[in-house]
């Protein structure tokens, strides 16, 4: 018999395990208030890029073997100096208030599966809290604020134990969605709770999760708090800082990478590369890694799927920097296709957020396990013993599939 008071026992307890990311998404949809779920799935404008990110994987086919399969298969690799047990890492996403434990739950799940946690500086949990539970944390920064402010944020991340820095430059606030943008309140106070009560009340399981911890969804960004102990800005406060910051130049990228190197001596990733010429400029800037990314379809709609632009970029610079990819990963077979076309690893975003919404830390771990199983199955069918053996020869890519931008 449980020793917890009756009101702390979960009246909606069910079999928590799910067999696919699609099931995690459906559970998240049923569990979350409509505006919260809408914020997770929305792309920009007509949603062309977010759709292509997923659909493009269906155009790539495998070339399996009928015999000679390997009894043991390895998925281990390294990324920016960190050993990881599978080529899937957590992409930084802002304000993970779909669950009370937020980024801390995600970081714990990633640590338990032996992989990297990417933490956004728009996160709802501090870099100190996250690094304490996952010692393979990369801290992510947007180009926001004055340089002295950015230096303070780098110094704080380094002091907390961040093993690398991710600079995300492919971001704009998505506007004009054809289906309407979800409502995101500036802050959650009594007035906001009363106004949104009709939408939230229909999701009692989600309310129960927060109620049992005595918390409310926090839309503040503690990693952007001023060093003097002042209050952390809200999401929209952080957005205003971004709006009023002059967009970065390649000289600014040089400065950011060099400053982080002087502070920490640790690796630096540039996220948001879609063009070969930009990838070459990133190499010239001295970055350790690049992420081939279109911000999950939340930036410039009409950008090709990242899997379409990956191979030309990897061919051009893969021997000089580490190449990772994000966008549209929903299955282990997607991961294998990305690795075959030149990625060292992939980053996932929506997939683990759905797992977090569905079942907290265990749900995130479940998503990583689903991807691991799918990778293993693909390696088995391809007759390979390691992800290191993956290359273009194991996939069939149709004519016209690749998009060599900026060549």
């Amino acid at each position: 018999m449980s020793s917890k008071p009756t009101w702390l026992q979960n009246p909606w307890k069910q079999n928590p395990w799910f067999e696919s990311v699609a099931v995690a998404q459906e559970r998240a949809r049923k569990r979350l208030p409509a505006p919260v779920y809408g914020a997770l799935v929305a792309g920009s404008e007509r949603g062309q890029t977010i759709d292509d990110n997923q659909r493009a994987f269906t155009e790539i086919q495998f070339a399996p073997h009928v015999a000679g399969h390997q009894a043991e298969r390895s998925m281990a690799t390294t990324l920016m100096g960190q050993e990881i047990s599978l080529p899937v890492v957590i992409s930084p996403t802002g304000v993970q208030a779909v669950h009370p434990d937020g980024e801390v739950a995600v970081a714990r799940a990633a640590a338990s599966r032996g992989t990297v946690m990417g933490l956004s500086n728009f996160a709802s949990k501090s870099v100190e809290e996250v690094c304490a539970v996952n010692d393979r944390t990369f801290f992510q920064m947007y180009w926001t604020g004055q340089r002295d402010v950015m230096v303070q944020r780098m110094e704080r991340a380094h002091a907390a134990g961040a093993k690398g820095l991710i600079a995300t430059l492919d971001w704009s606030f998505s506007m004009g969605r054809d289906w309407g943008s979800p409502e995101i309140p500036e802050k959650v106070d009594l007035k906001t709770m009363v106004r949104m009560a009709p939408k939230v009340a229909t999701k009692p399981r989600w309310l129960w999760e927060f109620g049992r911890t005595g918390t409310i969804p926090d839309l503040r960004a503690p990693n952007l708090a001023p060093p003097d102990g002042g209050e952390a800005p809200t999401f929209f406060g952080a957005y205003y800082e971004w709006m009023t910051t002059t967009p970065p130049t390649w000289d600014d990228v040089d400065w950011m990478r060099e400053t982080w190197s002087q502070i920490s001596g640790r690796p630096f990733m540039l996220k948001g590369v879609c063009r070969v010429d930009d990838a070459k400029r990133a190499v010239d800037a001295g970055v350790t890694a690049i992420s081939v990314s279109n911000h999950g379809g939340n930036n410039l709609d009409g950008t090709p799927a990242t899997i379409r632009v990956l191979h030309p970029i990897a061919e051009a610079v893969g021997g000089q920097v580490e190449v990772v990819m994000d966008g549209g990963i929903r299955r282990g077979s997607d991961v294998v296709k990305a690795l075959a076309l030149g990625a060292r690893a992939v980053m996932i975003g929506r997939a683990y957020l759905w797992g977090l919404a569905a079942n907290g830390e265990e749900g995130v771990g479940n998503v990583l396990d689903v991807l691991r199983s799918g990778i293993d199955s693909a390696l088995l069918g391809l007759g390979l013993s390691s992800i290191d053996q993956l290359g273009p020869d194991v996939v069939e890519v149709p004519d016209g599939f690749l998009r060599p931008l900026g060549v």
Side-chain angles (χ1 to χ4, degrees):
M1 174 177 283
S2 173
S3 60
K4 292 181 180 179
T6 302
W7 70 275
L8 278 178
Q9 297 176 26
N10 188 345
W12 297 280
K13 189 173 182 180
Q14 58 180 346
N15 180 9
W17 186 83
F18 42 82
E19 62 180 332
S20 69
V21 173
V23 174
Q25 179 180 358
E26 179 59 15
R27 290 193 183 178
R29 185 189 67 80
K30 291 180 177 179
R31 191 181 190 93
L32 295 174
V36 180
Y37 178 73
L40 296 187
V41 298
S44 60
E45 296 186 336
R46 64 166 55 93
Q48 176 180 341
T49 294
I50 189 173
D51 287 345
D52 196 38
N53 272 350
Q54 298 176 66
R55 186 178 59 252
F57 282 103
T58 69
E59 300 178 32
I60 303 172
Q61 297 177 317
F62 287 121
H65 285 287
V66 69
H69 298 155
Q70 304 300 307
E72 296 183 2
R73 297 164 296 280
S74 172
M75 288 172 248
T77 188
T78 61
L79 180 63
M80 297 218 300
Q82 300 301 305
E83 295 183 357
I84 52 178
S85 68
L86 77 166
V88 180
V89 303
I90 299 298
S91 185
T93 62
V95 189
Q96 295 172 16
V98 300
H99 188 275
D101 295 333
E103 293 84 359
V104 171
V106 177
R108 285 182 178 140
S112 70
R113 269 62 175 186
T115 195
V116 162
M117 169 69 183
L119 178 70
S120 173
N121 65 350
F122 281 13
S124 61
K125 302 293 182 183
S126 72
V127 64
E128 290 82 8
E129 291 175 279
V130 170
C131 285
V133 299
N134 189 326
D135 63 1
R136 283 173 284 201
T137 293
F138 296 161
F139 185 66
Q140 176 266 348
M141 289 178 56
Y142 294 103
W143 183 262
T144 63
Q146 300 301 313
R147 283 191 174 190
D148 60 338
V149 172
M150 286 186 258
V151 170
Q152 291 168 356
R153 291 168 183 167
M154 291 184 207
E155 291 173 339
R156 177 179 173 184
H158 174 244
K163 296 300 192 298
L165 189 74
I166 301 173
T168 300
L169 304 184
D170 64 328
W171 182 71
S172 63
F173 192 70
S174 181
M175 298 294 287
R177 296 184 175 105
D178 288 2
W179 51 92
S181 295
E183 180 182 3
I184 303 174
E186 182 173 0
K187 59 182 178 179
V188 180
D189 53 16
L190 181 59
K191 182 178 179 181
T192 301
M193 288 190 286
V194 170
R195 179 171 55 82
M196 301 192 73
K199 296 178 181 178
V200 175
T202 61
K203 303 296 180 179
R205 282 184 290 181
W206 188 71
L207 278 176
W208 179 86
E209 285 288 349
F210 281 92
R212 71 185 180 86
T213 63
T215 62
I216 59 175
D218 190 355
L219 301 182
R220 293 193 175 275
N223 295 307
L224 299 181
D228 60 6
E231 188 176 26
T234 64
F235 173 83
F236 286 102
Y239 172 58
Y240 177 77
E241 182 184 80
W242 172 79
M243 283 184 62
T244 55
T245 302
T246 302
T249 66
W250 280 105
D251 287 341
D252 293 323
V253 175
D254 290 338
W255 172 84
M256 197 175 194
R257 197 276 311 161
E258 178 62 26
T259 302
W260 172 250
S261 179
Q262 292 174 354
I263 291 170
S264 70
R266 293 174 178 171
F268 179 97
M269 178 188 294
L270 180 63
K271 186 175 184 292
V273 177
C274 289
R275 298 168 53 109
V276 171
D277 51 357
D278 280 353
K280 291 178 178 178
R281 291 291 297 270
V283 171
D284 292 341
V287 307
T288 312
I290 59 173
S291 174
V292 178
S293 170
N294 54 37
H295 214 88
N298 276 310
N299 189 32
L300 179 62
D301 197 31
T303 303
T306 46
I307 191 66
R308 298 186 191 278
V309 301
L310 170 64
H311 188 57
I313 291 172
E315 278 197 316
V317 302
Q320 299 165 278
V321 294
E322 298 177 9
V323 178
V324 302
M325 191 212 84
D326 70 76
I329 299 292
R330 301 291 185 268
R331 300 162 186 82
S333 59
D334 297 340
V335 179
V336 171
K337 290 172 183 178
L339 269 57
L341 293 182
R344 187 181 192 88
V346 302
M347 305 177 84
I348 59 170
R350 290 181 178 89
Y352 78 77
L353 289 174
W354 291 326
L356 178 65
N359 195 30
E361 178 183 338
E362 292 181 10
V364 179
N366 194 156
V367 165
L368 290 170
D369 291 343
V370 164
L371 296 177
R372 184 190 297 274
S373 177
I375 296 168
D376 187 63
S377 293
L379 290 178
L380 176 63
L382 293 170
L384 304 179
S385 61
S386 170
I387 59 172
D388 295 336
Q389 298 169 338
L390 288 167
D393 59 306
V394 305
V395 291
E396 179 66 26
V397 179
D399 291 342
F401 176 85
L402 300 178
R403 302 288 191 273
L405 306 181
V407 175

